[in-house]
Amino acid sequence: MLTGRVFQSAIQLISAIIVARILSPAEIGLFAVSYAVMLMMNGFRGLGVGAYMIQIDVLDKTVTRTAFTLVSIMGLILYVLTNFGASYLSNWYETPQMGDMLKILAVNFLIFPFTIMVQSKAARAHDFGWMAFAELVAACISSAVSVYLAYIGYGAMALAYGTIAFSFVSTLTCGVRHFAIKDYGLGLIRARALLAFGGWVTGSNVVYQLNTAMVDLIVGKFQGFSIAGMYDRAATVTRLVWEQIYPAIGQVLFSSFAQEKRDGRDLKQAYFYRLRCVLDLLWPLLIWLAIFGDYAVQILFGDQWVQAGSIARILAVSIIFAAPFSIAKELGVALGKTKAFFLLDLFVFMTRLAAVFVAARHDIESVAIALIVPAVLYMIFSQWILSRIIDFQFHDFLKTIGRPLCLVVLLVFGLLASRFFIEKLDVDLVWAFLGAGAAGGIYILILLFITRSPLKHLVLQKLIHFKQP
């Protein structure tokens, strides 16, 4: 899954680089704000069905038909509501084109019932290789659609059609191996049990999507679509880690925790081992972005996006505090503790909303800085909640993050020194970026070896496995 996500990220990044040179910041901002509206509604569309299908002990056609029926009903409701409210939202933002874009994006709600069914069955079967392949194929086709339509003059609509193409192709490809006609009948026999489990998951998903969407919505309203476009391009760089790499990790971990719960294994040991792996993977990437993110933005997207560079660096800092510790939620939901993590997500959302609303009255850099506060709160309270569930002590947590924290400190000093010499020598930006990337990569590998990262052993195991007949 991680390998697939890396290739998928590369394809989507190439697409974003090309599109950023064709479309204006205002056009990309229009798509970002429109997509943020859809994200708010996306939290409702799944009803917790995916998590329920993965963690339930026995998955039979009674469960699958109930799941499909509930998600289909919700998808149809959301599709109608979006089409009905599109004109009102476009009037509020004083952009008529926004209404047309929302109607196109709403087609995702009609595709999603089929998406959630095939993906949940694939995840339950641990068929992550095929899931990665399906998303990779979808990324290639959707990127081609977006770039071509942008080139021939579709403007921001090109990105909307690319989004629909991704949903359709990924569902179709994943369904090649995990579609079964018996799953798609109508029925509500297990509806009460499913909704009882999925209610808190849905609430948590809604809050998470609101967390993601509200920045674009607030910035688009108070600072305009051009600034929203700047924020979106900055977030695109950090999303390469947060919304591309982490979901691959989280999807695998949730299925694994659910299986280990059914097998009665030691979840405390499993959690801390995996937390260490995730920290060793994500923290170096995010630290590099926090120091060289402005170089990345300017080289990838062009000079018209220079302002997005400082925003990207600040966003990377905020994600450092939240991203690795999100695996606590994967374990908590796998254990059925959905209410606790819903309340945590709600608390963090309210904090984030207040911080962004106040900061949006100033400038976009202030908004990015404000996002650090809720990220720190999520790190603290997610671990506290999980400590009550699987009974671990604070020193267990400190022991796990100790070596990754040393890695971070050494990495910060090394990368800052690299940046200092680059600026003193006045090296060409492209060569500076490539040199910093190569040197940083080698430095990170050395530090992972020195701090005895379990990632080293995982890589060696994979290499040995591939060499065997």
Side-chain angles (χ1 to χ4, degrees), residues 404-415:
L405 200 57
C406 291
L407 182 150
V408 164
V409 172
L410 293 172
L411 187 60
V412 167
F413 280 114
L415 294 180

Side-chain angles (χ1 to χ4, degrees), residues 1 25 120 122 138 158 216 248 263 295 302 339 343 357 405 467:
M1 283 293 288
S120 298
D216 290 298
D263 295 341
Y295 288 10
K339 181 179 179 180
L343 294 175
F357 189 79
L405 200 57
K467 288 181 180 179

Side-chain angles (χ1 to χ4, degrees), residues 67-393:
F68 179 70
T69 302
L70 290 173
V71 180
S72 296
I73 292 171
M74 180 55 70
L76 186 60
I77 292 171
L78 293 174
Y79 177 77
V80 172
L81 286 176
T82 303
N83 277 269
F84 178 75
S87 59
Y88 294 98
L89 284 168
S90 62
N91 289 336
W92 194 59
Y93 279 96
E94 300 177 353
T95 308
Q97 192 181 9
M98 186 177 180
D100 297 331
M101 183 172 291
L102 287 172
K103 292 176 182 178
I104 295 169
L105 291 171
V107 175
N108 275 312
F109 294 132
L110 302 180
I111 300 173
F112 186 73
F114 300 93
T115 306
I116 193 68
M117 296 298 291
V118 295
Q119 288 186 348
S120 298
K121 292 186 69 177
R124 184 180 176 88
H126 288 199
D127 192 7
F128 299 113
W130 189 255
M131 292 176 69
F133 174 73
E135 292 188 356
L136 189 59
V137 172
C140 291
I141 295 176
S142 67
S143 296
V145 168
S146 295
V147 169
Y148 176 72
L149 293 180
Y151 178 74
I152 64 174
Y154 272 65
M157 290 294 183
L159 299 173
Y161 284 114
T163 302
I164 299 299
F166 183 90
S167 299
F168 179 77
V169 174
S170 62
T171 302
L172 188 65
T173 308
C174 191
V176 168
R177 286 173 59 162
H178 295 282
F179 178 85
I181 193 66
K182 64 181 179 62
D183 296 332
Y184 295 87
L186 299 179
L188 294 171
I189 296 175
R190 299 290 294 273
R192 178 175 294 183
L194 195 153
L195 291 174
F197 175 89
W200 294 113
V201 176
T202 301
S204 189
N205 287 339
V206 169
V207 173
Y208 173 79
Q209 299 292 1
L210 286 172
N211 257 321
T212 305
M214 70 172 180
V215 180
D216 290 298
L217 295 173
I218 294 173
V219 170
K221 181 62 179 176
F222 287 102
Q223 299 187 16
F225 285 136
S226 292
I227 299 299
M230 289 291 175
Y231 176 83
D232 181 76
R233 291 301 89 175
T236 296
V237 175
T238 56
R239 285 184 190 126
L240 295 175
V241 176
W242 175 232
E243 293 187 11
Q244 292 294 347
I245 295 177
Y246 179 77
I249 299 170
Q251 200 166 23
V252 173
L253 289 184
F254 176 72
S255 299
S256 300
F257 283 137
Q259 184 63 51
E260 288 163 350
K261 179 202 72 172
R262 291 193 287 268
D263 295 341
R265 298 185 189 177
D266 183 0
L267 293 176
K268 176 180 173 181
Q269 182 180 359
Y271 172 71
F272 281 122
Y273 175 78
R274 286 163 180 162
L275 177 60
R276 172 69 193 280
C277 291
V278 172
L279 289 169
D280 286 343
L281 177 66
L282 296 185
W283 269 359
L285 296 175
L286 291 167
I287 289 295
W288 192 90
L289 283 176
I291 295 174
F292 291 106
D294 54 338
Y295 288 10
V297 168
Q298 188 172 351
I299 291 171
L300 295 175
F301 303 134
D303 293 338
Q304 65 173 330
W305 301 97
V306 170
Q307 186 182 356
S310 59
I311 305 169
R313 296 179 67 187
I314 299 168
L315 289 177
V317 173
S318 68
I319 299 172
I320 284 170
F321 292 102
F325 303 101
S326 296
I327 73 166
K329 183 176 178 179
E330 311 296 344
L331 176 54
V333 174
L335 293 172
K337 305 299 182 180
T338 53
K339 181 179 179 180
F341 282 92
F342 163 73
L343 294 175
L344 172 61
D345 287 338
L346 183 61
F347 168 71
V348 172
F349 167 70
M350 296 303 294
T351 306
R352 186 179 170 102
L353 179 63
V356 171
F357 189 79
V358 171
R361 306 281 181 165
H362 302 283
D363 54 39
I364 191 61
E365 285 80 9
S366 299
V367 173
I369 292 171
L371 295 175
I372 296 175
V373 176
V376 173
L377 291 176
Y378 184 87
M379 176 186 68
I380 294 170
F381 286 105
S382 65
Q383 301 310 296
W384 178 76
I385 291 172
L386 193 62
S387 71
R388 307 293 296 272
I389 296 173
I390 61 173
D391 191 26
F392 69 78
Q393 303 299 318

Side-chain angles (χ1 to χ4, degrees), residues 33 38 117 270 284 323 354 456:
V33 174
M38 304 306 297
M117 296 298 291
K456 177 185 65 175

